[in-house]
């Protein structure tokens, strides 16, 4: 499976591995091997090794704590004490190590425990710093992905322009076209929202 990395922060991409949360939730980390694949695609480790079922359970607990804390950040609300504690405790373990092999080439060492500790550390840096103010929820109708809005104007609306952005524009176009046809006017273009 190819995972999507569009949130501009690894902890938020991790939270999005449970997608369509409010309508038809799909857990992209259905099996331990999915977590291993995600960690490699995320560039966190080269060889995560075998992932146990209990490690997957721990990953999901961390993921949900990260998601809830990101939602709190997006709303300007307080984070749950239990979530902060879980992220903090998880970050306390040994981290993934990165070693230079050659120019333009590094080795990333760490199993699933190190991957989760590193993710929790990144989440802690995000939620404990000023970037927490940049957390946004995608404007896609049923999308529940959170992302960082690093646009200069603070105007990023979509997790991914190619999926949610174009889908929303296409829907708006169809609605406008239907409204214009019923009023006798011609639509002016597909994406002139
Ligand atoms: Zn989206």
């Amino acid at each position: 499976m190819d995972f999507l990395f569009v949130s501009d922060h690894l902890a938020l991409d991790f939270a999005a591995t449970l997608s369509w949360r409010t309508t038809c939730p799909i857990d992209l980390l259905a099996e331990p091997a999915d977590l291993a694949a995600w960690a490699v695609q995320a560039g966190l480790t080269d060889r995560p090794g075998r992932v146990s079922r209990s490690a997957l359970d721990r990953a999901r607990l961390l993921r949900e704590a990260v998601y809830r804390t990101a939602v709190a950040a997006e709303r300007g609300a307080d984070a749950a004490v239990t979530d902060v504690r879980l992220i903090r405790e998880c970050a306390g373990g040994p981290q993934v190590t990165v070693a230079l092999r050659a120019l333009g080439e590094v080795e990333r060492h760490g199993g699933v425990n190190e991957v989760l500790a590193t993710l929790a550390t990144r989440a802690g840096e995000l939620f404990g710093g000023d970037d927490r103010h940049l957390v946004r929820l995608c404007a896609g109708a049923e999308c529940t992905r959170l992302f960082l809005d690093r646009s200069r104007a603070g105007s990023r609306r979509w997790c991914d322009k190619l999926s949610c952005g174009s889908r929303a524009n296409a829907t708006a176009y169809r609605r406008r076209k239907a409204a214009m046809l019923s009023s006798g006017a011609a639509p002016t273009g597909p994406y002139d929202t």
Side-chain angles (χ1 to χ4, degrees), residues 6 20 137-147 157-160 163-165 167:
V6 293
W20 314 111
L137 178 63
C138 178
E142 295 174 347
C143 184
T144 52
R145 185 181 280 268
L146 294 142
F147 59 85
R157 296 183 65 202
W158 317 108
C159 67
D160 183 15
S163 57
C164 284
R167 195 180 304 131

Side-chain angles (χ1 to χ4, degrees), residues 17-160:
T17 58
L18 181 58
S19 58
W20 314 111
R21 287 168 173 269
T22 54
T23 48
C24 181
I26 298 173
D27 194 338
L28 303 176
L29 303 183
E31 298 295 329
D34 296 327
L35 175 57
W38 187 89
V40 171
Q41 289 181 35
L44 280 168
T45 183
D46 297 336
R47 283 182 290 277
R50 192 183 156 276
V51 177
S52 66
R53 182 67 60 176
S54 66
L56 177 59
D57 290 342
R58 276 188 285 117
R60 286 182 176 141
L61 287 176
L62 173 64
R63 177 182 67 186
E64 296 314 296
V66 168
Y67 174 75
R68 286 188 296 265
T69 307
V71 168
E74 193 264 340
R75 293 176 179 167
D78 287 334
V81 174
T82 47
D83 289 335
V84 170
R85 189 184 304 142
L86 193 148
I87 293 169
R88 180 189 172 94
E89 286 176 359
C90 191
Q95 311 273 315
V96 167
T97 59
V98 181
L100 182 66
R101 182 157 49 192
L103 201 56
E105 215 177 323
V106 292
E107 297 169 344
R108 293 181 171 86
H109 298 284
V112 67
N113 289 338
E114 288 76 18
V115 163
L116 295 181
T118 303
L119 266 175
T121 299
R122 302 264 183 96
E125 287 169 344
L126 170 61
F127 299 136
D130 288 343
D131 279 358
R132 73 188 188 282
H133 298 301
L134 303 179
V135 177
R136 301 282 182 273
L137 178 63
C138 178
E142 295 174 347
C143 184
T144 52
R145 185 181 280 268
L146 294 142
F147 59 85
L148 291 190
D149 179 8
R150 293 195 186 278
S151 66
R152 192 175 295 188
S155 57
R156 179 177 169 186
R157 296 183 65 202
W158 317 108
C159 67
D160 183 15

